[in-house]
C-alpha cells in the first residue's frame, strides 16, 4: 500500500481521483498610434508565421505504420574553411500520422552521434506526441536514452510525432487497433457508477484527456477482495478503493481501514500486462477508481472476486 498525505478528500469525489480616444484634438496622435500598432502587429504576424513554418516544415511528411524515418535537425560543417565546425539548424522533425480507429501506438526511437561532429555539445532528445492542432498530448521523459520506446492510447484522428535532437535519429510507430469498447461506459463520478458483479470482466479505455472511471462493487461479507487487471499499455495506472462516510468520500486501505480526510491510499500502481492486487474489505458498498498517472492512457480489462 502506498499513501499520499496532505490531500483534502472530504466531500469531493473528483478530488480523490487525482488523478492552460478622445476628442478631435487627439485624432492625429491616435492615428499614428494605430498605424504604429498595425505595423507592429503585421511584423509580429510575419515572425510568428516564419517560426511556425520552421517548426512545422516537416509536418507534411506522413509516417507509415511500422516504417522507420530518419533524419537530423543539425549538421556540422566547416563553412568558413577555418577548421572549426559550425552548427546549422534544419528545423525540428515533425511527422504526421493518421489513426483510422481507436487503438494505441508504440513509438520507437534510436539516436546516434553525427559523424565528424567533433567537439559539439551533445544534448538530450525530446520526443512528443501532438494532436491535430499540434497541441502536446505526451512528452517522453527519457531524454538522454539513446534507444527507447513508449506507448500512447489514441482515438481516431490526425496526430504528429515531434522529435528534437542534435543527433542522428531513427523513429517509427506501430499501431494496434483495439476496436470500440462495447457495453456501458464506466461512470465519471462514484454516485453514478453502475454495479460491477463479482467475476464479470469489463473492458475500458483511458486517453490523455480522459475522465477518471468508477466501478461500484457490493461485498456481501467480510472477505479478501482480489482485483485482476490486464493493461495493454506500459503506463502507470493507480487503483483506489473508496467508500462514502455520510456525505464524505474516503479511500480504503488494503487492511480495510478507512483513511482520514487528509490521507489517500492506493492499492497498487500497475502498467502493461496481467496484475493482481488484494486487500481485506468488510461487508458494504465500495468503488474501484482508476487514475492514469503516465499521461499515456490505457486499454484494459478488469474483474474482481
Amino acid at each position: 500500500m502506498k499513501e499520499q498525505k496532505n490531500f483534502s478528500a472530504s466531500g469531493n469525489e473528483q478530488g480523490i481521483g487525482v488523478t492552460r480616444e478622445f476628442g478631435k484634438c487627439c485624432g492625429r496622435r491616435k492615428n499614428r498610434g494605430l498605424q504604429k500598432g498595425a505595423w507592429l502587429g503585421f511584423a509580429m504576424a510575419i515572425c510568428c508565421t516564419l517560426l511556425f513554418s520552421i517548426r512545422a516544415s516537416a509536418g507534411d511528411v506522413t509516417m507509415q505504420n511500422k516504417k522507420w524515418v530518419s533524419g537530423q535537425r543539425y549538421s556540422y560543417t566547416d563553412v568558413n574553411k577555418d577548421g572549426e565546425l559550425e552548427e546549422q539548424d534544419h528545423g525540428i522533425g515533425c511527422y504526421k500520422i493518421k489513426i483510422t480507429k481507436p487503438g494505441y501506438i508504440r513509438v520507437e526511437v534510436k539516436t546516434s552521434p553525427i559523424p565528424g561532429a567533433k567537439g559539439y555539445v551533445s544534448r538530450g532528445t525530446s520526443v512528443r506526441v501532438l494532436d491535430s492542432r499540434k497541441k502536446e498530448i505526451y512528452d517522453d521523459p527519457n531524454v538522454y536514452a539513446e534507444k527507447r520506446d513508449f506507448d500512447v492510447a489514441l482515438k481516431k484522428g490526425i496526430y504528429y510525432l515531434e522529435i528534437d535532437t542534435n543527433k542522428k535519429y531513427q523513429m517509427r510507430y506501430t499501431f494496434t487497433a483495439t476496436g470500440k469498447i462495447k457495453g456501458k461506459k464506466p461512470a465519471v463520478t462514484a454516485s453514478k457508477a453502475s454495479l460491477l458483479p463479482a467475476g464479470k470482466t469489463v473492458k475500458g479505455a483511458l486517453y490523455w484527456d480522459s475522465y477518471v472511471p468508477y466501478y461500484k462493487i457490493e461485498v456481501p461479507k467480510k472477505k479478501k477482495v482480489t482485483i485482476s487487471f490486464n493493461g495493454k499499455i506500459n503506463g502507470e495506472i493507480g487503483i483506489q478503493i473508496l467508500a462514502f462516510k455520510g456525505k464524505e468520500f474516503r479511500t480504503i486501505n488494503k487492511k480495510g481501514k478507512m483513511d482520514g480526510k487528509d490521507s489517500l491510499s492506493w492499492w497498487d500502481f500497475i502498467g502493461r500486462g496481467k496484475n493482481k492486487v488484494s486487500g481485506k474489505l468488510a461487508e458494504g458498498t465500495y468503488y474501484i477508481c482508476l487514475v492514469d498517472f503516465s499521461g499515456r492512457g490505457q486499454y484494459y480489462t478488469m474483474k474482481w472476486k
Side-chain angles (χ1 to χ4, degrees):
M1 178 192 71
K2 301 183 182 180
E3 291 193 353
Q4 294 185 356
K5 299 291 186 180
N6 301 323
F7 285 90
S8 177
S10 60
N12 185 348
E13 297 177 20
Q14 295 180 352
I16 293 281
V18 201
T19 327
R20 240 172 79 259
E21 321 166 354
F22 304 101
K24 186 174 181 180
C25 63
C26 299
R28 182 173 298 178
R29 180 175 297 178
K30 175 184 173 183
N31 291 337
R32 287 179 178 176
L34 288 173
Q35 291 174 357
K36 182 178 179 181
W39 278 108
L40 180 60
F42 180 69
M44 290 179 66
I46 292 177
C47 290
C48 290
T49 301
L50 289 173
L51 286 172
F52 180 80
S53 298
I54 292 173
R55 183 182 183 84
S57 59
D60 293 332
V61 178
T62 300
M63 289 181 68
Q64 302 299 324
N65 185 31
K66 299 181 181 180
K67 301 294 184 181
W68 290 94
V69 295
S70 59
Q72 60 189 67
R73 176 175 179 177
Y74 298 97
S75 61
Y76 299 86
T77 56
D78 187 0
V79 178
N80 301 321
K81 308 301 181 182
D82 57 1
E84 297 290 335
L85 296 177
E86 282 77 38
E87 183 178 79
Q88 299 179 69
D89 188 350
H90 304 290
I92 296 173
C94 187
Y95 299 91
K96 181 179 179 181
I97 65 174
K98 185 176 182 180
I99 304 300
T100 58
K101 58 184 68 175
Y104 61 92
I105 60 171
R106 178 158 299 160
V107 180
E108 298 172 80
V109 179
K110 296 185 289 186
T111 60
S112 60
I114 297 174
K118 296 180 180 179
Y120 77 94
V121 178
S122 178
R123 296 187 288 270
T125 300
S126 172
V127 183
R128 305 195 304 157
V129 182
L130 313 176
D131 65 13
S132 60
R133 296 173 295 176
K134 297 192 176 178
K135 181 180 178 181
E136 181 181 305
I137 293 173
Y138 177 73
D139 185 3
D140 179 44
N142 301 309
V143 294
Y144 294 107
E146 293 185 357
K147 184 178 180 180
R148 64 186 190 265
D149 63 79
F150 59 87
D151 308 317
V152 179
L154 296 176
K155 304 173 186 178
K156 178 181 177 180
I158 300 297
Y159 299 90
Y160 295 87
L161 295 180
E162 183 182 81
I163 181 167
D164 185 9
T165 181
N166 69 335
K167 300 179 180 180
K168 295 183 66 175
Y169 65 82
Q170 290 182 293
M171 181 170 65
R172 75 171 177 178
Y173 77 93
T174 301
F175 173 72
T176 300
T178 55
K180 294 182 179 180
I181 304 299
K182 297 181 180 179
K184 190 174 182 179
K185 293 182 179 179
V188 298
T189 62
S191 58
K192 295 181 180 180
S194 57
L195 182 66
L196 175 61
K200 180 180 178 181
T201 299
V202 292
K203 181 185 293 184
L206 291 173
Y207 299 99
W208 75 96
D209 58 350
S210 188
Y211 52 82
V212 174
Y214 291 88
Y215 297 90
K216 183 168 71 173
I217 64 174
E218 296 281 0
V219 179
K221 62 180 181 179
K222 187 175 182 179
K223 59 178 291 187
K224 183 176 77 170
V225 170
T226 300
I227 302 172
S228 300
F229 191 97
N230 189 358
K232 301 298 182 182
I233 294 177
N234 192 25
E236 189 176 53
I237 302 295
I239 297 180
Q240 285 181 316
I241 304 297
L242 308 107
F244 281 104
K245 182 180 181 181
K247 294 184 179 180
E248 294 181 349
F249 203 44
R250 304 279 187 86
T251 55
I252 308 297
N253 63 37
K254 292 172 72 174
K255 294 181 179 180
K257 302 297 183 181
M258 181 173 285
D259 293 318
K261 293 182 179 180
D262 298 323
S263 297
L264 296 178
S265 289
W266 300 91
W267 275 36
D268 206 353
F269 296 88
I270 58 180
R272 186 167 61 213
K274 296 181 179 180
N275 298 273
K276 288 185 178 181
V277 57
S278 298
K280 296 179 180 180
L281 291 179
E283 177 184 351
T285 300
Y286 300 90
Y287 301 86
I288 301 174
C289 176
L290 305 177
V291 183
D292 176 21
F293 283 94
S294 65
R296 302 176 184 183
Q298 183 63 272
Y299 283 92
Y300 63 89
T301 59
M302 184 182 68
K303 66 179 179 180
W304 73 281
K305 64 177 182 179

